[in-house]
């Protein structure tokens, strides 16, 4: 094993930092909280199921007795829940060092969010778009703050139809809808990086994907769950691209981190490219405009 690999031992002490991880009741988010809390940050778990979140805190505190973790309710498929969460954070915290937009759903049957958005696009992209916008004043106020967007190799399946973002007019294809949500995470990252650059690159936004990691995400696909034991890496490895995107001081705004190994599905994290379509600036701008209109959050 080469000494050049980036792993969690590279993360310095985070005492005094406030870090939010969305969707941290399982999988990658839970693993991220465990590691970050172990580095002495104040971690806010932003979760839709608060009881499940508290169980995670108890589990982590068995290992790190002094882990400083708050659990707060956030349902990314509901704009009023996002607004309520953002209000709680703005009222109770005077800094936000890192926002990790990790939560996600994959391959469910056709359904809509509370606000009428296709569920995967609404939760994975629009929810995090609104959350980031609402928390932006606190992120801007905090020196050297950072934002991380979780995308996926499945962004290559994405090809947004701006005439029908909610799949009202087309036969639903849940794989493509997931791909749409994950290319949207990249358009968001690249567009926000361009916009923030004008303001002196603060906060810094980067993206990550975990290759193929065994988590609860595959629950809607018997095939993928079955193949987990052959192809998926462990969550301890899958979380490293997120952590590198969040903590590597050399990470540049707009970089995309993922595993370096075979087909980018496993291995230690490196910066790499996403597909050509994801760098289309006109599509990224259009998505930004539509996301502002749909969520009512402008930034
Ligand atoms: N695992 C992989 O191979 C893989 C590959 C590419 C990308 N990713 C991305 O990695 C991220 C994390 O996924 P994971 O693999 O760790 O899956 P996971 O174990 O299913 O975790 C997903 C988390 O998101 C939460 N969540 C779902 N809907 C939510 C909502 N409406 N509001 C708030 N939280 C919500 C879940 O909460 P509950 O516990 O309440 O369900 C859970 O905590 C996702 O963005 C996913 O797209 C994963």
């Amino acid at each position: 094993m080469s000494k050049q690999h980036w792993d969690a031992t590279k993360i310095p002490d985070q005492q005094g930092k406030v870090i939010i991880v969305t969707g941290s009741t399982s999988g990658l988010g839970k693993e991220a909280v465990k590691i970050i809390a172990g580095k002495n940050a104040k971690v806010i778990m932003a979760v839709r199921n608060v009881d499940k979140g508290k169980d995670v805190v108890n589990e982590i505190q068995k290992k790190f007795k002094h882990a400083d973790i708050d659990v707060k309710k956030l349902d990314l498929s509901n704009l009023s829940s996002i607004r309520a969460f953002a209000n709680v954070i703005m009222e109770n915290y005077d800094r936000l060092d890192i926002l990790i937009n990790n939560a996600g759903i994959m391959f469910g049957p056709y359904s809509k969010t509370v606000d009428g958005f296709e569920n995967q696009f609404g939760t994975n992209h629009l929810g995090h778009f609104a959350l980031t916008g609402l928390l932006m004043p606190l992120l801007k106020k905090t020196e050297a703050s950072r934002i991380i967007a979780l995308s996926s190799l499945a962004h290559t399946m994405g090809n947004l139809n701006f005439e029908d973002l909610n799949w009202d007019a087309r036969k639903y294809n849940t794989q493509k809808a997931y791909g749409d949500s994950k290319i949207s995470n990249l358009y968001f990252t690249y567009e926000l990086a361009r916009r923030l650059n004008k303001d002196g690159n603060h906060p810094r936004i980067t993206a990550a994907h975990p290759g193929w990691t065994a988590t609860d995400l595959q629950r809607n696909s018997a095939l993928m769950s079955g193949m987990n034991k052959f192809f998926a890496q462990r969550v301890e490895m899958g979380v490293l691209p997120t952590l590198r995107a969040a903590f590597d001081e050399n990470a540049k705004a707009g970089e995309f981190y993922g595993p370096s190994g075979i087909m980018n599905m496993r291995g230690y994290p490196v910066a790499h490219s996403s597909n050509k379509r994801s760098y289309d600036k006109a599509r990224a701008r259009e998505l930004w405009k539509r996301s502002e209109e749909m969520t009512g959050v402008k930034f």
Side-chain angles (χ1 to χ4, degrees), residues 13-285:
D13 185 77
Q14 297 294 311
Q15 186 84 48
K17 302 272 174 75
V18 177
I19 299 175
I20 294 178
V21 186
T22 71
S24 32
T25 39
S26 69
L28 298 158
K30 175 179 168 183
E31 188 62 23
V33 171
K34 198 192 296 173
I35 291 168
I36 297 167
K39 300 279 179 182
N40 302 317
K42 164 99 198 174
V43 186
I44 301 164
M45 293 176 61
V47 301
R48 62 178 168 178
N49 181 337
V50 170
D51 289 339
K52 201 170 163 187
K54 287 182 177 161
D55 289 345
V56 170
V57 177
N58 288 335
E59 193 187 317
I60 293 174
Q61 285 178 337
K62 278 187 193 137
K63 186 163 179 207
F64 302 111
K65 216 166 135 215
H66 303 292
D68 186 2
I69 309 173
D70 255 6
V71 181
K72 298 275 186 241
K73 170 90 179 166
L74 170 68
D75 181 352
L76 286 156
S77 68
N78 182 342
L79 286 172
S80 31
S81 171
I82 298 168
R83 285 186 184 281
F85 172 83
N87 285 342
V88 167
I89 300 301
M90 302 291 280
E91 279 162 19
N92 291 285
Y93 293 90
D94 57 6
R95 62 185 300 140
L96 175 54
D97 294 275
I98 307 180
L99 170 63
I100 301 183
N101 287 331
N102 162 80
I105 49 171
M106 181 176 82
F107 296 175
Y110 185 59
S111 62
K112 294 268 179 93
T113 68
V114 173
D115 306 284
F117 310 137
E118 185 279 323
N119 208 9
Q120 298 186 83
F121 179 70
T123 303
N124 299 353
H125 167 64
L126 288 176
H128 282 124
F129 177 91
L131 178 69
T132 307
L134 293 167
L135 293 176
M136 192 53 81
L138 200 50
L139 286 159
K140 285 212 160 152
K141 205 171 111 179
T142 311
E143 201 186 329
S145 60
R146 294 171 80 151
I147 304 164
I148 291 78
L150 254 289
S151 182
S152 166
L153 290 171
H155 75 273
T156 53
M157 295 192 294
N159 188 8
L160 291 173
N161 179 338
F162 285 107
E163 305 307 311
D164 188 25
L165 285 173
N166 291 317
W167 291 81
D168 291 315
R170 290 168 293 159
K171 186 169 184 299
Y172 190 56
N173 181 321
T174 191
Q175 285 83 8
K176 285 194 173 158
Y178 179 68
D180 284 354
S181 75
K182 291 289 135 180
I183 199 168
S184 297
N185 295 143
L186 290 175
Y187 287 137
F188 173 68
T189 301
Y190 302 152
E191 180 64 17
L192 186 55
R194 284 189 285 273
R195 288 172 184 238
L196 290 171
N197 262 337
K198 290 182 198 147
D199 282 352
N201 205 9
H202 168 74
R204 188 181 350 167
I205 180 160
T206 48
H209 79 88
W212 185 338
T213 302
T215 64
D216 287 354
L217 193 74
Q218 293 89 12
R219 74 189 109 185
N220 288 317
S221 167
L223 180 67
M224 287 186 80
S225 305
M227 293 198 318
N228 265 355
K229 57 178 171 295
F230 303 112
F231 294 109
Q233 57 178 352
R234 289 175 300 116
V235 73
E236 292 83 352
M237 283 300 292
V239 76
L240 293 179
T242 303
L243 296 175
R244 184 164 190 180
F247 293 103
D248 187 343
E249 271 315 313
N250 298 317
K252 295 184 190 65
E255 274 186 334
F256 181 36
Y257 285 88
S260 56
I262 182 159
M263 294 166 77
N264 299 128
M265 288 201 303
R266 51 172 59 242
Y268 288 93
V270 291
H272 56 216
S273 303
S274 50
N275 72 350
K276 193 172 165 207
R277 182 180 287 134
S278 65
Y279 292 109
D280 186 321
K281 291 183 186 170
R283 290 179 81 74
R285 273 196 306 273

